[in-house]
Structures are given as structure tokens and as C-alpha cells.
Amino acid sequence: DTGVSQDPRHKITKRGQNVTFRCDPISEHNRLYWYRQTLGQGPEFLTYFQNEAQLEKSRLLSDRFSAERPKGSFSTLEIQRTEQGDSAMYLCASSAPFRSTGGYTFGSGTRLTVV
Amino acid sequence: QQQVKQSPQSLIVQKGGISIINCAYENTAFDYFPWYQQFPGKGPALLIAIRPDVSEKKEGRFTISFNKSAKQFSLHIMDSQPGDSATYFCAATGAGSYQLTFGKGTKLSVIP
């Protein structure tokens, strides 16, 4: 399977704990995106990487959220001091260079539940 | 501020019928309009996309109609099948940004 891989698929954590998610994009894709999706809503943009550089970050994103993409390969999204409002599906997507930004391939997501 | 408004929220169509989902946008800098299909437990998958220099694009049973002056675009699914039952999202991007702005989604149910 050469799709976008996300790990873990599900995460349950207590409020106040830190969590980290991993995304492995399609190998030839240099662009990587993180989105958050809550029930009954469309995905909401969080951040974008081109290779290892984080080029765009949502102004709505709390300082508790941080993302990295070392060496332009896999990416991690960390949420510090989780709150119940962070409960959502976290989606990673990637796209090839020179391809329209709309042409993403999404992973199946990590579902976070904060209790 | 919701920049892409999608309707209806849910839609029930008989097998073989036409499913129509509508979206309206506000930002005139948007220049790429994809539609995504999402099944439960899966990430969205790109279905079809259009740029504003054309008024219609067709791929198989799926057609996008685009009205630039009205800032509206719609997805038509011809000969709808039970396997088309999913949530559909319209989206838009442009103005040098790499982020997609999604609508809230339409849950389509195709009944036999």
C-alpha cells in the first residue's frame, strides 16, 4: 500500500496529557498537510510543509499544537496539555510537486478522544 | 467566517436518480474547486475538481457545474448507486495559499 499512513488510528488520553501523532506521506510527495475534522464538519486546515519547511500555519491553531517534518519525510503533530475540545479526527495529506494544491491524498486519520 | 457554504446537509436519492449538491463561496481569489468523497472511518478522497476558466467538467457519472459570476458550483452524480452513499465535501483554494477551505459536507444516502 503506497498511500498516506497515519499512526495511531485511535488515541484516548486524559485531559492535560501530551499526545503525538505520526504521518508517513506518499514517498514522492514533497508537500504535507495536517487537518482536523470534528463530527459533522469539513476538515479544517492546521498546517502545511513543503519538504522540511513549515510554510503555512492556521491562525486558529493554538500554541499547544506543534508540527515537525524532519528531513522532509514523515511528520509528527504534537498536542500539549490536551483539552476536551481537542477531541477530533486528525488528518494528514500529501501531494506531489507542481500538482494543484487541491489534489491531496488523505490518510485515514487519527481519532483523538480526550477524557 | 464560513467561506464555503454547502447544501443540503443531507440528501436521500433513489437508485438511478440524480444527486445534486451545491456550494457557494465568498473569496473571489479562490481558483481551484475540488470535491471530496468520504466514507465512514476513512479520509476524504478526491473525486473531481474544476478551475474557474471552465463552466463544466465531467468524469464518468460525476459532473461539476461552475458559475463564476454567482460564485457557485455544484456536483451532479448521475445514475446514483448505493455505493455512492457517503459524505461529500466541496472545497476551495487559491490566492497563493496551500490550504483548502471545506464546506460542512453533505451526507448522501442512495436507496435501492
Side-chain angles (χ1 to χ4, degrees):
Chain A
D1 188 332
T2 58
V4 177
S5 177
Q6 291 190 245
D7 184 71
R9 289 296 311 275
H10 303 275
K11 178 71 177 179
I12 300 175
T13 190
K14 292 183 178 180
R15 185 163 52 95
Q17 297 294 305
N18 298 344
V19 293
T20 300
F21 310 140
R22 177 180 170 120
C23 171
D24 287 274
I26 293 173
S27 58
E28 61 267 28
H29 287 181
N30 71 334
R31 296 176 179 177
L32 186 145
Y33 316 81
W34 284 99
Y35 281 75
R36 176 173 63 189
Q37 185 176 25
T38 53
L39 198 62
Q41 301 293 317
E44 175 189 29
F45 173 80
L46 294 178
T47 191
Y48 156 68
F49 289 86
Q50 184 166 315
N51 299 311
E52 67 275 10
Q54 188 175 20
L55 298 185
E56 202 168 341
K57 186 176 177 180
S58 171
R59 287 171 290 178
L60 302 175
L61 198 61
S62 162
D63 289 342
R64 296 183 295 106
F65 288 70
S66 62
E68 294 183 340
R69 193 183 181 196
K71 301 179 182 178
S73 55
F74 71 93
S75 176
T76 58
L77 177 67
E78 181 183 17
I79 308 174
Q80 296 181 327
R81 304 181 302 281
T82 52
E83 302 172 356
Q84 287 191 323
D86 297 331
S87 295
M89 175 77 83
Y90 290 84
L91 294 163
C92 177
S94 67
S95 67
F98 309 116
R99 187 171 182 181
S100 166
T101 58
Y104 297 176
T105 299
F106 279 92
S108 291
T110 293
R111 180 165 295 283
L112 173 67
T113 302
V114 181
V115 298
Chain B
Q1 180 185 6
Q2 183 187 355
Q3 296 190 55
V4 179
K5 294 182 179 180
Q6 184 171 347
S7 63
Q9 188 174 357
S10 63
L11 181 62
I12 300 174
V13 174
Q14 290 271 358
K15 178 182 175 181
I18 302 173
S19 303
I20 301 174
I21 304 170
N22 301 299
C23 282
Y25 63 97
E26 299 169 2
N27 189 343
T28 55
F30 285 152
D31 61 6
Y32 188 77
F33 302 88
W35 284 88
Y36 283 80
Q37 178 189 57
Q38 186 175 30
F39 292 104
K42 298 292 187 182
L46 179 65
L47 199 58
I48 187 172
I50 197 168
R51 291 198 178 276
D53 52 346
V54 297
S55 60
E56 186 175 281
K57 183 174 181 180
K58 183 176 181 179
E59 290 184 1
R61 296 184 295 110
F62 301 92
T63 299
I64 299 179
S65 297
F66 188 85
N67 186 328
K68 187 175 181 179
S69 61
K71 293 188 287 185
Q72 295 175 346
F73 57 111
S74 60
L75 176 69
H76 292 64
I77 306 174
M78 312 299 288
D79 187 27
S80 299
Q81 299 297 313
D84 297 330
S85 297
T87 299
Y88 292 81
F89 294 95
C90 61
T93 188
S97 173
Y98 291 95
Q99 65 175 277
L100 279 173
T101 300
F102 283 84
K104 290 191 174 183
T106 296
K107 185 174 182 180
L108 171 65
S109 298
V110 181
I111 56 176

